[in-house]
Amino acid sequence: MTPRDVAAARAFFEGIPEGDRTYFREDVLAPGTLERWTDETTTRRYLARLAGDIAGYAAVIPGVAWSAHVGEIRLVVDPRVRRRGVGRALARQVVVGAVQLGVTKLVVEVVATEQATVAMFAGMGFEAEGLLRDHVRGRSGETHDLLVLSHFVSDLWSTMQTTGIAEVALDDTR
């Protein structure tokens, strides 16, 4: 994500359901947030485009201090293009970013009822590491369980290299 992507990224985030924006620790629509993201050097952020429009966003955000080796994934895909491989392609880019940052473990938080998202990450080798009951609240006040999935980057990177996916992902980052 670069400064020239800010306007398109804002339009993307304005167009996704509010519930999808709750995965971010900050208000992505607040003035200055997206601009600040383009200045960061410790986070890798990726945008997926279909027909020129942003179709998805992903990031790997390294932890700090004693968790500096752990990267947290943020990933959201436009609902209109879900189940077309956009999320999986972005997740692979995140693995590349994690390798580049020296992150050795990845974690992602998913609402437990989002079976397709859980299945996508499980298909990449992520495993459930924790279940936080009634941990997130929807717009109308209902609570949901939050599933924490994790994977060690070296295992996933090795699989991607063996299958040739790493080369494709690296080409996409250039």
Side-chain angles (χ1 to χ4, degrees):
M1 188 167 155
T2 67
R4 70 178 179 270
D5 297 317
V6 169
R10 185 173 323 283
F12 167 74
F13 285 118
E14 287 172 346
I16 62 172
E18 183 179 339
D20 289 351
R21 291 193 301 267
T22 62
Y23 282 105
F24 299 93
R25 302 272 191 257
E26 56 194 319
D27 181 356
V28 297
L29 299 179
T33 299
L34 300 177
E35 291 82 359
R36 189 175 62 255
W37 284 4
T38 65
D39 291 334
E40 293 177 342
T41 58
T42 59
T43 298
R44 295 292 190 266
R45 298 183 190 275
Y46 302 97
L47 299 172
R49 293 184 186 271
L50 290 175
D53 294 324
I54 295 178
Y57 162 88
V60 58
I61 304 166
V64 296
W66 66 2
S67 295
H69 66 290
V70 179
E72 190 170 343
I73 296 173
R74 300 272 194 283
L75 191 147
V76 64
V77 174
D78 185 321
R80 297 171 295 181
V81 297
R82 289 183 181 159
R83 299 183 192 259
R84 294 188 195 175
V86 174
R88 184 174 306 278
L90 282 167
R92 289 177 179 153
Q93 291 299 327
V94 164
V95 174
V96 173
V99 169
Q100 292 170 339
L101 292 170
V103 167
T104 60
K105 181 180 181 180
L106 288 170
V107 296
V108 62
E109 296 176 348
V110 180
V111 174
T113 56
E114 293 183 6
Q115 296 172 351
T117 305
V118 172
M120 180 193 75
F121 281 107
M124 292 180 69
F126 281 74
E127 296 179 348
E129 196 164 286
L131 178 68
L132 306 174
R133 294 182 51 203
D134 293 334
H135 195 73
V136 294
R137 187 180 312 272
R139 277 183 71 187
S140 59
E142 76 283 359
T143 58
H144 303 277
D145 296 346
L146 187 70
L147 186 59
V148 179
L149 305 170
S150 69
H151 202 311
F152 288 94
V153 173
S154 60
D155 297 341
L156 190 49
W157 183 245
S158 176
T159 300
M160 286 174 64
Q161 287 178 312
T162 301
T163 60
I165 294 170
E167 284 182 35
V168 172
L170 283 169
D171 284 343
D172 288 345
T173 63
R174 293 188 176 108

